Amino acid sequence: MSDSPFIYMKEHSKTVLWNDSADPKEIKDALTWGIVGATCNPVIALTALKADKEYWVARIKEFAKANPQTTDDQIGWAMVKELSSNAAKLFEPEFEKQNGRNGRLSIQTDPRNFRDANLLASQAVEFSKIAKNMIVKIPVTSEAIAAFEEATYQGVSINATVSFSVAQTVAVAEAVERGLKRREAEGLDISQMGPVCTIMVGRVDDWVKVSAEKAGAVIDPGIMEWAGVAVFRNAHKVYEQRGYRTRLLSAAFRNHMHWSGILGGDSVISPPYSWQVKINKSGIIPNLNSVEEPIENRILEPMLEKLPEFRKMYDVDGLKAEEFTNFGATQRTLRGFLQSVNDLESFVRDVTVPNPDK
């Protein structure tokens, strides 16, 4: 086997590797072991800005001086766009090589718009024009489903995020199919479009553990480490059966099974850079067809029987579309993304209006 498990994966599997970061330094390193794209969100973007603080503080000052009419919030988003544009350039060769299926940088729409499909769709179109190889994240809330269809129809390659359930992945895939069919009916090109639907597998695990604690359910903690893998494998089976043109993407890592446990499908795995480094050092020889393996009954049955919240995520009809926004895992993640927008504005404000007491 190659020294890197990821190089081995690239050579022998149709599952591809993206990097869960827009930090150019991390991307350049990860390119050496085979990443073909990258994902980003408000939390990750702010982390990347802080990682190269000297450069971005200077850019904020320069931008603020040249654009005195802009608010700190607008400056922050301008920096996110610039960060994303810079990162996207690193993937242009892969984008051309794979005709748009990979080689993309994912940028997220403003999470404050999660209740407004029209705003999400229009911002997705705007963000898609930052670079030719941009893919745009929209959260899978009840209100946003229409945005996936409209943005797809407008020619945007979308990445569905804030997604934890098979039901959400199906709603996204169906919306994307409607958008693609509208384009096809009008003779519009779809040859370079590469939509994906993220399952935040680690956050599935998190919510299972929180719900178990709330319910007072006693379950082997090792079993609950399989929750995200189980949801992903079930969604993959549904996607295969129905022939959706959207690919699934695994993100929000908590253990190596969020990579090694879901290999083999025409899908994307996007670990944070730190997890990629750990996995590369692990020497793990992965099962290259693990996504097709059934989850053992000793693992699946206790969660289905004792944890209604897991069943909601696992069953294809476990959640109704009108329940997406108010689902616990959705609310937890949205709150984190909304806070990160506030943190981004605060980061900018500390540059534009320094605290004299420090």
Side-chain angles (χ1 to χ4, degrees):
M1 189 184 90
S2 304
D3 291 340
S4 165
F6 292 129
I7 293 176
Y8 179 74
M9 165 185 155
K10 185 172 185 178
E11 291 173 348
H12 300 283
S13 174
K14 59 184 177 181
T15 306
V16 298
L17 182 71
W18 292 8
N19 187 61
D20 199 13
S21 167
D23 186 324
K25 295 176 183 176
E26 293 182 0
I27 289 172
K28 288 175 182 177
D29 199 18
L31 282 168
T32 65
W33 55 71
I35 64 166
V36 292
T39 52
C40 192
N41 62 40
V43 178
I44 294 170
L46 180 58
T47 301
L49 295 178
K50 289 181 175 179
D52 196 2
K53 189 173 182 179
E54 183 178 351
Y55 172 81
W56 288 108
V57 165
R59 278 295 297 128
I60 289 168
K61 289 179 179 178
E62 182 181 23
F63 188 91
K65 185 176 181 180
N67 300 274
Q69 77 285 359
T70 54
T71 65
D72 290 341
D73 176 63
Q74 291 168 333
I75 294 171
W77 278 99
M79 296 303 102
V80 171
K81 291 178 185 178
E82 185 173 318
L83 170 75
S84 300
S85 176
N86 292 345
K89 288 183 175 67
L90 300 173
F91 292 110
E92 285 182 0
E94 198 70 35
F95 178 81
E96 299 296 342
K97 178 182 175 183
Q98 300 202 30
N99 195 38
R101 188 161 177 77
N102 290 297
R104 292 184 179 273
L105 189 283
S106 184
I107 183 173
Q108 186 161 329
T109 50
D110 190 334
R112 292 172 295 190
N113 296 333
F114 73 91
R115 290 187 296 267
D116 192 321
N118 291 329
L119 275 177
L120 289 169
S122 62
Q123 190 173 55
V125 172
E126 174 197 344
F127 282 7
S128 72
K129 296 175 181 177
I130 293 172
K132 62 182 179 182
N133 57 331
M134 200 65 67
I135 186 169
V136 185
K137 283 185 173 181
I138 298 173
V140 189
T141 59
S142 305
E143 302 85 352
I145 297 303
F148 291 106
E149 176 181 344
E150 183 60 27
T152 299
Y153 169 66
Q154 295 288 340
V156 180
S157 288
I158 61 93
N159 177 356
T161 187
V162 193
S163 176
F164 319 91
S165 67
V166 178
Q168 286 172 292
T169 68
V170 168
V172 168
E174 293 284 355
V176 170
E177 287 298 317
R178 291 192 296 270
L180 290 173
K181 288 174 181 176
R182 286 170 61 190
R183 287 186 66 80
E184 289 172 319
E186 296 181 19
L188 299 172
D189 184 31
I190 64 168
S191 64
Q192 285 197 321
M193 296 182 69
V196 299
C197 180
T198 294
I199 300 178
M200 305 183 90
V201 286
R203 290 179 180 266
V204 172
D205 291 2
D206 294 346
W207 185 238
V208 162
K209 294 170 186 176
V210 168
S211 65
E213 184 69 24
K214 286 183 175 182
V218 179
I219 297 179
D220 181 347
I223 286 176
M224 291 187 286
E225 296 294 322
W226 284 87
V229 173
V231 170
F232 193 98
R233 288 187 188 177
N234 203 30
H236 175 265
K237 182 171 67 174
V238 173
Y239 268 46
E240 288 282 291
Q241 291 171 345
R242 300 187 183 184
Y244 293 137
R245 286 176 281 185
T246 301
R247 286 182 294 171
L248 289 171
L249 183 151
S250 166
F253 273 47
R254 300 293 186 268
N255 63 62
H256 77 75
M257 292 188 301
H258 296 153
W259 160 69
S260 62
I262 54 177
L263 290 173
D266 183 15
S267 54
V268 182
I269 298 180
S270 187
Y273 174 78
S274 60
W275 264 105
Q276 293 185 42
V277 171
K278 283 192 283 190
I279 290 171
N280 265 329
K281 290 180 179 179
S282 71
I284 293 172
I285 301 175
N287 173 359
L288 293 178
N289 197 38
S290 56
V291 76
E292 302 287 351
E293 297 289 331
I295 302 293
E296 295 179 39
N297 287 337
R298 68 173 184 85
I299 293 171
L300 191 58
E301 288 180 359
M303 290 193 289
L304 287 173
E305 291 173 3
K306 297 182 179 182
L307 299 174
E309 294 295 283
F310 173 73
R311 185 176 284 279
K312 289 177 183 178
M313 293 186 282
Y314 182 81
D315 287 349
V316 70
D317 56 355
L319 286 172
K320 297 177 181 177
E322 56 266 28
E323 296 175 313
F324 292 168
T325 301
N326 292 325
F327 184 57
T330 303
Q331 292 175 328
R332 292 181 99 224
T333 303
L334 275 177
R335 285 179 62 85
F337 286 164
L338 291 167
Q339 182 58 51
S340 71
V341 174
N342 293 337
D343 294 342
L344 174 63
E345 184 175 8
S346 295
F347 177 73
V348 173
R349 184 165 296 123
D350 283 342
V351 178
T352 60
V353 188
N355 187 343
D357 297 330
K358 289 185 178 181

